[in-house]
Amino acid sequence: MSQDPYPSERPSSGRHPDPYDGGSYGSTYGSSAPYQPQPYQQGGYQQPYQPGGYQDPYRSLEGEKAAQLSLILGIVGLFVAGIILGPLAIWQAKKAERLGVPATAGKVLGWINVVLYGLAILFVILMVILMFAGFAATSSYST
């Protein structure tokens, strides 16, 4: 058992290295220091897991209420007064997201309401214009 299990780590001189002597450790082992901090590399360094911070329960509760209201406004807006309830649903969804609660469904339904009812209003305006154009065309033939 006289064989050294780690011969490459043994210092070349007979004395043990002192890590606090200001650099003789590195000269003994051939490196400059026992620990070299590595520079930050893009993509190669990951932050350790840090648990989420404390969130105010009032803000969380208000955010959840705004997200639920956004979803309700979006669903009801599909059937009644979507041109009014759609923007309200979008507004409540943004309020919920500001408070840290996701409200994607309410926001999407709000935008669907705005687009559908906007197209419906454009369709009604187009029909009214065509109706007046038809009346104007028939009145010129009656004489």
Side-chain angles (χ1 to χ4, degrees), residues 127-142:
M127 287 291 121
V128 169
I129 290 172
L130 288 176
M131 185 177 67
F132 281 126
F135 285 145
T138 57
S139 67
S140 64
Y141 292 117
S142 64

Side-chain angles (χ1 to χ4, degrees), residues 25-64:
Y25 182 84
S27 63
T28 305
Y29 284 106
S31 66
S32 61
Y35 171 72
Q36 289 284 331
Q38 298 297 320
Y40 175 76
Q41 297 173 357
Q42 187 72 15
Y45 177 77
Q46 291 181 338
Q47 288 282 2
Y49 172 74
Q50 296 181 3
Y54 173 76
Q55 187 175 6
D56 184 21
Y58 175 76
R59 286 178 53 97
S60 177
L61 183 63
E62 286 296 312
E64 288 176 12

